[in-house]
Amino acid sequence: MKIAIKGLKILNPQQDLNIKGDLLIEDGIIKKVGDLTDEELSGAKIYELDNHYCVPGLFDMHVHLREPGREDEETVETGCNAAANGGFTAIACMPNTSPNADSSEVVRYIKDQAANHLVNVYPIGAVTVERKGENLAPIAEMFDAGAVGFSDDGVAVKSAGILKSAMEYTKMYDAPIIEHCEDESLSDGHMNESAVSTLLGIPPLPSVSEDLIVMRDILIAEYVGARVHIAHISSKNAVDLVRQAKKKGIQVTAEVTPHHFTLTDESLKTYDTNYKMNPPLREEKDVEAMIEGLKDGTIDCIASDHAPHSSEEKEFEFIYAPNGILGLETQLGIALTELYHKKVLTMEQMVEKLSINPRKILNIPIPEIKEGEKADLTIFDADAVWTVDLKKQKSKSKNSPFDKKLLTGKQTATICNQKMFIDNEFMDI
Amino acid sequence: MPLSSKHLLGLSGVPKEDIQLILDTAVTFREILERPIKKVPTLKGKTIVNLFFENSTRTRISFELAQKRLSADTVNFTTSSSSTKKGETFKDTVLNIEAMKIDMIVVRHQSAGVPQFLTKISNASIINAGDGRHEHPTQALLDMYSIKEKIGKIDGLKVCIVGDIAHSRVAISNIAGLISMGAKVSVCGPATMIPKSIESLGVTVHHDINKAIAENDVLNILRIQLERKAGTNIPSLREYHNYFGVTEERLEKNNKDILILHPGPINRGVEISSEVADGPYQVILDQVTNGVAVRMAVLYLLGTMN
Ligand SMILES: [Zn+2]
């Protein structure tokens, strides 16, 4: 099939590409980038997407798919549908499933479930067996089965001893350890420790719990010479620690979620469990530090921590409700609204943080927009004003605080693996 | 003038006029409690559910007595089960009770925010009988009532709340209520038991029990929860008693008029010595009686709103 998309702003900082032009794709392969002649247009399905951006397919490196184990909340397929709807052509999924992705079998199972989808799924394997922090999981086997990074997400790798060992091991494969930074001896709470937690009477989680593990991990990464990636960074001190470590040349990278660069713990005043997450929403100074970190490059990328939960569980009493919210389908809109339109980041920087840097961290080739390459692209209208409607989202769960939120910037077409998602439909191309 | 809300979820943000109205109304009910026949027909035909997810016999009995004396129909639902356990979720439990057409729910729960959540899924008036470490508004109201009964006013008094502020649902309610009624409030306890940024609620913080006694008109002494605190928040109960316990010796040394409140149940020899618990300064048992009157006032004001 031949499709032509006209009037695009084609942008890929990795190729120094920034042009206004058309795109011709045939059987999933890019045939031309530039102005198309009548001859080239003949026989093609033509889309007029004037002034929409066309960038290398977006990549979300922190997604919870819930399969295997909690298919009532999300499956690989529904999660991939949500990703496509949010403009992502690839995601990395966390290993805290049931069973955990702590074996090559589970890693392969997840890859198989995603095999025919538009969206590429890259599993993250567990660092330790059952994420218990006691014995190393079969890292080499999982790496060979397709795992691109390792994490005990949900918790930090339990002890410095096992972490050092894991870093020595993953270093052989140049794969990062992705850390959920939380010191378990300080983690007996349900929201950020602040004046708000005192007022609300919710048992608090101090931010130093995050900072301690960030510090520990940076020191071990430096000592071993391995790579560590700080997942969902949320505290000001943690950003400062990563900034200093980067200056020293330590191989540390970091991601931030849209909720951590937009919301504070003030949102919890209604006890709405859609604001309950871990790491918890923190304070204004922390949100400012996230913005600063994104600006100066301390924070390498934006990731959603997409965490589907059933509505009955999110309607538990506050201290019993699970942590986390959806993210795949609101992430691009929030990032454009809050970072691009508010002039925190340029569009080039947006593309780096949403597409290029996550792939660099996980050693995945960056799609190029040029003749002969497979089309792996995201097209979006940066100026489209729309209202989030959870009922229209593709995720199987509905836990999001962003329902009814007005955003500026929306996915138009997601293209990968010879498939295109456009106008709310998948098609083979 | 009626109350400004059909619920009593806490005292934070509650207008002074509402607190005043409850305390004034409680005076009438306190008188009724002295009569040979302690029952009035005010809430006849109203159905009230006492929904207790955490065992608290004292609070439940106090509410239940208040309800019976107002002639309401009451049902007790006491369970320790919660959403984490298999079976019916909290929301389902409430929807079931709601379907039985009830007028009020008195709720006690180990999670903060449950009363707020109830207002979203039920049409009944919700009264918070303690949610986690958040609020326990009727306890604070009865504390204020007892202060007023004994001293004649709240405005301008210096009140210090002593003990485990961080894990107490009584502290936040007392702070909010007392400040709005014009008292000057401080908290005193080991730093491990003072929650972060509590100064933002308008109180001062210190760690000297002698200063607390010397500088205040009222001490409200909170219970130290024996089961979990020693070892992590305080080295030992003995050390707590030695450094923060309210003893007769300390009271006499400061040689002054002071009123001692304690929400109970008391731990003799820990936060309060037996001599003080039984002595002339305290009104601990009056608090219990006043609790019934204050709860009658709250039930009456909310139950007759429309
Ligand atoms: Zn995590």
Side-chain angles (χ1 to χ4, degrees), chain A residues 342-359:
Chain A
K342 292 189 178 169
K343 303 212 171 358
V344 174
L345 299 180
T346 64
M347 192 56 88
E348 283 79 5
Q349 289 172 315
M350 293 287 294
V351 176
E352 279 163 2
K353 301 207 193 271
L354 284 161
S355 172
I356 293 169
N357 293 348
R359 287 185 173 87

Side-chain angles (χ1 to χ4, degrees), chain A residues 9 15 99 106 135 207 230 234 248 250 295 318 334 345 356 363 391 394 414:
Chain A
K9 290 177 184 165
Q15 295 168 253
V106 178
N135 298 301
S207 56
I230 309 301
S234 74
K248 273 182 86 179
I250 300 167
K295 247 187 189 165
F318 193 90
I334 295 170
L345 299 180
I356 293 169
N363 284 330
K391 285 191 232 82
K394 304 287 173 201
T414 313

Side-chain angles (χ1 to χ4, degrees), chain A residues 62 64 94 96 151-155 179-181 231-232 278-279 305:
Chain A
H62 197 133
H64 296 273
M94 287 296 155
N96 59 336
S151 178
D152 278 354
D153 188 38
V155 293
E179 273 279 72
H180 168 117
C181 296
H232 40 55
N278 189 8
D305 195 8

